[in-house]
Structure formats: C-alpha cells, structure tokens
C-alpha cells in the first residue's frame, strides 16, 4: 500500500511538473479554471504545498512552528526551478523510512501522514488538469491517477463545496469518462 501511494505521489508531481515546464513566458498571468488564480498563482500554490512537506514530515514541525515562511510568492524569479526543487524534496521526504507512519500537525489538527500524502496527490492531479486547461496543454491525466483521486475524493465529494475550497459538483453527461466524472466531483467542467 505504501509503495503504491508513494508511486502515485511521485507520478502526480511529475505530471504537474511537466505542465509547469510547458508554461510559456507569456502564460504566467493567464487565467485558470480556479477563477481566483492566474497560472503563476496556481503554480505558486502547488509549490508552496510541496515546500510544507519537509518541515511537517521530516522535521515534525507544526503550522505554528513554520509560521509565515511559505506565505506569498515562493516562486521568485525562477518558478520552474523552484517547483522542481520543492517537488523533489517533497518526494524524498515522503519516501524516508517511516514517513508515512508519522502524524503531521495541519491547520485542522493532527493527521496521519499517509492521509496527508493522499491529499497532496489529489490536489496535484486536479491542479494538473487546471494548469493544462490554462496553458492549452494535453488535458488527459494518467488513468492510475484518475482512479486514485476518484477513490479518494468520492466518499467526501458531496461536502467538498461546503469547505469553500471547491466549486459545487457539476452534472456529467451520460457515458462520461472517468476523468470527466472526477473533475465534475470537484466542480470542473471538462
């Protein structure tokens, strides 16, 4: 189970990272399906999430311990390079011996590191599609990632929009493919 989760985590970051590498210089200010975010904002969000992994997983710090270290723009003048380093360090931290058996201290309380890793996969998968749509890249996501995220998100899909972090689910046409159904669960129209 742990090896499968770690494989999905690494794969999700590779997929998102491929899209980051495909962003042209003139696309960083382009809108995304996340209506509040530009391409740069979206990449900044995912990069910031990866930066949190090392202090939370490896160092055992809490949100309060880390403070505002990752607030604001973490991309600086090298968005692609910062993404690459943050993603590599996150993958490495989760792969450390015993990392998935730890507990992390998140804003909503103590959480098993395994659950935290799953959330990171789900977020990277959904946002890989968002970034693809924003920059005109191939929007097809790997089947293994779609299946993983669907299994993980489906049990809580009905309440996701109440969190304020997701749009309400959208209706899918009859015979919709698995990726379209996944995206619909989190308020995206494929």
């Amino acid at each position: 189970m742990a090896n499968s989760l770690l494989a999905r985590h690494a794969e999700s970051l590779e997929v998102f990272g491929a899209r980051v590498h495909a962003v042209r210089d003139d696309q960083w200010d382009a809108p995304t399906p996340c209506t509040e975010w530009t391409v740069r904002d979206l990449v900044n969000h995912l990069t910031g999430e990866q930066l949190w992994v090392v202090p939370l997983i490896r160092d055992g710090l809490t949100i309060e311990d880390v403070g505002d270290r990752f607030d604001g723009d973490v991309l600086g003048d090298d968005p692609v390079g910062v993404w690459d380093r943050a993603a590599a360090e996150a993958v490495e931290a989760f792969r450390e011996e015993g990392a998935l058996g730890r507990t992390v201290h998140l804003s909503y309380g103590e959480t098993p590191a395994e659950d935290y890793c799953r959330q990171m996969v789900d977020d990277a998968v959904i946002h890989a599609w968002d970034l693809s749509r924003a920059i005109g890249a191939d929007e097809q996501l790997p089947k293994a990632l779609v299946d993983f995220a669907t299994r993980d998100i489906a049990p809580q899909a009905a309440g996701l929009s109440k969190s304020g972090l997701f749009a309400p689910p959208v209706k899918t046409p009859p015979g919709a493919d698995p990726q379209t159904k996944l995206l619909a669960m989190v308020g995206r129209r494929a």
Side-chain angles (χ1 to χ4, degrees):
M1 178 68 163
N3 285 341
S4 175
L5 175 57
L6 293 174
R8 293 296 76 79
H9 177 254
E11 183 182 13
S12 70
L13 297 188
E14 287 172 18
V15 168
F16 187 83
R19 272 64 173 189
V20 171
H21 280 262
V23 177
R24 295 187 321 262
D25 289 342
D26 64 339
Q27 292 180 312
W28 289 101
D29 291 324
T32 69
C34 304
T35 57
E36 304 293 316
W37 288 342
T38 64
V39 166
R40 185 179 177 91
D41 296 330
L42 178 61
V43 173
N44 189 68
H45 165 70
L46 254 289
T47 303
E49 283 194 347
Q50 305 322 305
L51 291 171
W52 276 98
V53 173
V54 170
L56 294 177
I57 294 291
R58 181 180 292 155
D59 303 336
L61 300 178
T62 65
I63 300 287
E64 293 79 23
D65 294 334
V66 176
D68 63 359
R69 188 183 324 169
F70 305 123
D71 288 356
D73 179 26
V74 298
L75 298 177
D77 294 335
D78 184 17
V80 175
V82 173
W83 161 261
D84 287 343
R85 286 186 295 280
E89 289 172 8
V91 167
E92 183 181 306
F94 273 122
R95 286 188 174 168
E96 286 180 1
E97 184 71 33
L100 291 179
R102 297 177 187 146
T103 299
V104 293
H105 307 279
L106 302 177
S107 59
Y108 52 86
E110 292 190 352
T111 303
E114 189 172 322
D115 292 347
Y116 176 47
C117 188
R118 273 190 193 60
Q119 294 167 17
M120 298 291 280
V121 172
D122 297 342
D123 210 34
V125 170
I126 300 303
H127 287 318
W129 180 85
D130 291 333
L131 187 53
S132 297
R133 171 73 44 112
I135 65 170
D138 180 7
E139 295 177 11
Q140 188 60 48
L141 300 168
K143 182 182 181 331
L145 290 176
V146 170
D147 292 347
F148 178 95
T150 300
R151 280 191 307 274
D152 202 48
I153 294 170
Q156 58 195 345
L160 287 177
S161 65
K162 293 177 188 165
S163 72
L165 301 174
F166 295 90
V170 296
K171 205 169 175 90
T172 57
D177 63 86
Q179 179 173 310
T180 300
K181 290 177 183 177
L182 169 64
L183 294 168
M185 278 194 284
V186 293
R188 268 70 167 180
R189 295 183 190 280

